[in-house]
Each structure stands twice: as structure tokens, then as C-alpha cells.
Amino acid sequence: MAPRRSGVSLEPLIIATLGGALAAGLIAWQLNLRAMDRHINATRSTLKKLVLPGGIPPDQRVMEYLSARHASIEQRYRSLLTAAAVPPLAESAAADPQLYFQEQLHEVQRMLERLAAARAMPVPEQLGFPKALPPSDTVPRLLMQLSLVKELATLVFGQGVIGVSSVKLEDPEAVADEREVGVFLTRLPVRIRFTSSLPQFLHIVVAIAEREPLIDIRGLRIVSGEVPDRLDVELALARYLPAASTSR
């Protein structure tokens, strides 16, 4: 007697397995298409930013133009930064910055006394000058402000002004870029008050405008003096340091 065959057929199981694999493949294919579509859209969006006016698409010549343009802008930026910002301190000041600052402060005070005595004037009042050793991280900006005071005093006294009443160091100010992404310069203000004639005042302003690195005239106040042809002048001036070179 022949053996009986099992009543279970394998064909439906094979068909179901193949169908499941096909469905999984279709799903993976759809997901891959969507990912590719997102990648294409992102690439198109990036390329639109590179298209020059007039709808010129990016190619090798466009990339060369953009690279040259970027290099030109970077060079101009460096040039302007060099003209506007005072260079960092010399290495000789880094060994003991507090002692170096104290020496420079005494030198500025003695210079103001000599300039005033040579012209039979009262010594200018010195405002904002530290009475004790400052923290080391504030020394770079204080030294730059002292340097500006020396330069201004020499310039103002050299014009033969009638008198210099005060020089003042003011707190530094952070300068952000136009997009306000971050601080890239620190403004170092100094204020000076003096009495002069109009021609003397004009010569001082012209001399300040010709200085390098840049001396920024931030504010100006002029009042007629009690004596005719005399002006009481207050100038708010500043120089700049790269933000990484100074601290509050």
C-alpha cells in the first residue's frame, strides 16, 4: 500500500514569503527615494546661494571668481584691522605685566608734570588711573590707554594750548560686528579737557585724524571760555584692540 502524502502545501508559504520581501523592498526603495529627494533639494538650495546675479549657474569659473573675491575681502579686512587696532603687547611686557604697567604709569605721570611745568601750567588732574596694581588680565588695555594719553598729551601741549585741566581713563567697551555674531574689537576710551584758541583746536583735530593706528573721536564738547577767543574743549577719544588681546 502506497504512503499517504501530507495535505499541507508549501506554495502559499513561499508566495507569502516572497510577497513580504517584495513589500519590504518597495518600502526601502520609497524611503531611499525620499532621502535622495531631500538631498537634491538641499543641494539645490545651496547652489542657489552661489548663483551670481543674472542667473549664472556655479561652475569652475564662478568658483574661481568667488575664491578671488573672498581673498580680496579678507585682505581688505586685515588691512583695515591693522590700521584701526593697536598691535598686541611686546613680549618684554609679558614677563611681569603688573610691574611693567606700574613703570609706565609713573612715566606718564612724570611726563605730564614735566609738560605742565615747562609751560607754567597746573598739572592736569589724572582721573581713572589705578591707585593699586591692577589685575594682570586688565594690563594690556590699560597700557594701551596710557600710550594714548602720552600721545595726546604730547600733541595737545605741543600746540601751545592755554591749559590742560584733566586726562581720564574710561572703562573699555565691547564692539560687536554688524551681524552681532560676536565681539571682535574692544574700544579703549580716553577723555581729555583743555583750553585753547580756535586755531590750536583745529590743528589738534587735524593731527588726531592723521594718526596711525586710528584714534577715533567719539565725542566733542566745546564751550566758549570766559576770556574772548578761548575755548573750553572736551574730547572723548579711543583706540581699539582685538577682543582676544584685552579683558575687563
Side-chain angles (χ1 to χ4, degrees):
M1 183 179 231
R4 296 179 61 185
R5 295 182 177 178
S6 172
V8 179
S9 174
L10 296 178
E11 292 180 3
L13 182 59
I14 294 173
I15 293 173
T17 302
L18 291 175
L22 180 60
L26 288 172
I27 292 172
W29 182 60
Q30 288 290 337
L31 292 175
N32 190 40
L33 283 180
R34 292 177 184 175
M36 291 176 63
D37 188 56
R38 287 194 298 270
H39 179 70
I40 291 171
N41 289 334
T43 303
R44 284 176 176 171
S45 177
T46 302
L47 291 176
K48 283 181 181 179
K49 299 177 182 178
L50 299 177
V51 174
L52 297 177
I56 303 174
D59 58 14
Q60 185 60 36
R61 288 177 300 176
V62 173
M63 291 303 299
E64 290 174 356
Y65 167 81
L66 292 175
S67 298
R69 180 66 175 166
H70 174 77
S72 175
I73 293 173
E74 184 70 19
Q75 182 179 3
R76 179 169 174 75
Y77 166 76
R78 295 296 174 191
S79 175
L80 292 174
L81 187 63
T82 300
V86 180
L89 293 177
E91 292 183 2
S92 58
D96 191 339
Q98 292 174 304
L99 177 60
Y100 184 80
F101 168 77
Q102 193 173 45
E103 294 171 351
Q104 293 299 307
L105 176 59
H106 290 160
E107 180 182 334
V108 169
Q109 291 171 334
R110 288 193 298 268
M111 184 199 72
L112 291 172
E113 292 170 0
R114 287 196 306 269
L115 290 173
R119 293 160 179 80
M121 299 177 184
V123 178
E125 188 177 4
Q126 298 158 39
L127 306 172
F129 287 65
K131 294 180 174 59
L133 287 178
S136 297
D137 58 354
T138 67
V139 168
R141 67 94 170 172
L142 288 170
L143 286 172
M144 292 305 171
Q145 287 177 295
L146 284 179
S147 175
L148 180 54
V149 167
K150 289 173 64 175
E151 195 169 345
L152 290 174
T154 303
L155 190 157
V156 171
F157 277 104
Q159 289 297 326
V161 296
I162 299 163
V164 179
S165 56
S166 68
V167 290
K168 181 182 180 183
L169 305 185
E170 297 190 333
D171 291 337
E173 303 167 359
V175 180
D177 63 17
E178 294 180 355
R179 297 169 297 174
E180 297 185 355
V181 174
V183 174
F184 74 109
L185 287 176
T186 300
R187 184 182 295 119
L188 306 178
V190 168
R191 194 174 296 267
I192 185 168
R193 294 179 179 176
F194 58 90
T195 302
S196 71
S197 66
L198 178 59
Q200 290 169 342
F201 166 70
L202 294 177
H203 281 106
I204 290 170
V205 171
V206 170
I208 288 173
E210 293 175 346
R211 296 284 169 154
E212 287 189 5
L214 169 75
I215 298 178
D216 187 11
I217 299 179
R218 303 291 302 167
L220 168 63
R221 188 174 69 88
I222 302 176
V223 179
S224 296
E226 296 179 359
V227 179
D229 300 326
R230 289 191 178 185
L231 303 174
D232 292 330
V233 180
E234 180 181 86
L235 280 176
L237 308 162
R239 269 194 169 145
Y240 296 86
L241 271 180
S245 302
T246 187
S247 173
R248 288 183 181 271

